Amino acid sequence: MISTDYYGHVQPRRKRAPADIDPRSQPAYTLTEAAHYLRLPPGTLRSWVVGRPYSTSVGPRTFAALIRPASKRPLMLSFWDLVEAHVLRALRQDHQVKVEALRKALRYAEDTLQIDKLLLRKDLLAAPGRLFLDRYGELIELSASGQVAMRKV
């Protein structure tokens, strides 16, 4: 079917996105835009999203990405990627969670608990230097490979 406007001019066909695709997960922001909105240095955000090589006394190493971007080529971030980066920044700055503890928590959540996008979870909790998941009434310490933690009375 050909669509026309009010004056009878033929309108180009528009591709419709499937109804089940969440627009918040679609690539929408360049790295520079996202860094600006998040008030982060672009290099920091790039490291979190793409990773980066660095040198050590024993040779070159790689800082692996902490966030999977919506699109790698071209590099574009989704709204959810921005939320993850915002949470990551808060965990690093406000809660002093070290990158290694974050990596351990992300790995444990994905491998053991089958949780994708841990940083978007409402049940993710933080204390200085530590990450927890409130799951099924238990407080699981993610930065300690899933040890059950005690709540303060």
Side-chain angles (χ1 to χ4, degrees):
M1 181 174 154
I2 298 174
S3 65
T4 59
D5 65 10
Y6 179 78
Y7 300 103
H9 298 110
V10 176
Q11 297 295 306
R13 290 186 80 136
R14 292 186 179 154
K15 291 183 182 180
R16 290 188 177 197
D20 60 341
I21 294 179
D22 185 348
R24 296 170 295 186
S25 63
Q26 298 303 303
Y29 306 94
T30 65
L31 187 83
T32 306
E33 287 173 320
H36 173 74
Y37 295 143
L38 294 166
R39 295 185 180 145
L40 277 172
T44 299
L45 185 57
R46 177 175 282 286
S47 295
W48 290 353
V49 173
V50 178
R52 68 176 168 84
Y54 63 96
S55 300
T56 66
S57 59
V58 295
R61 307 253 345 228
T62 302
F63 179 92
L66 297 166
I67 299 170
R68 276 177 264 157
S71 170
K72 288 187 179 182
R73 293 186 193 248
L75 182 58
M76 297 286 288
L77 304 178
S78 68
F79 173 78
W80 286 132
D81 296 335
L82 266 66
V83 173
E84 281 188 279
H86 175 73
V87 170
L88 185 56
R89 185 188 69 188
L91 290 171
R92 294 281 296 129
Q93 291 177 355
D94 301 340
H95 300 286
Q96 293 83 39
V97 178
K98 295 183 187 235
V99 171
E100 209 40 56
L102 280 162
R103 263 187 221 297
K104 191 182 256 188
L106 290 167
R107 196 175 313 117
Y108 181 80
E110 286 180 9
D111 296 346
T112 306
L113 303 174
Q114 280 75 48
I115 294 174
D116 192 33
K117 303 279 189 187
L118 173 68
L119 298 174
L120 297 178
R121 300 283 301 226
K122 292 179 189 175
D123 48 1
L124 179 66
L125 306 169
R130 299 161 68 189
L131 285 175
F132 301 93
L133 188 66
D134 189 356
R135 189 160 186 185
Y136 307 125
E138 289 187 326
L139 197 59
I140 301 168
E141 186 170 355
L142 297 171
S143 45
S145 297
Q147 291 181 358
V148 176
M150 293 183 65
R151 296 178 190 269
K152 270 191 173 179
V153 178

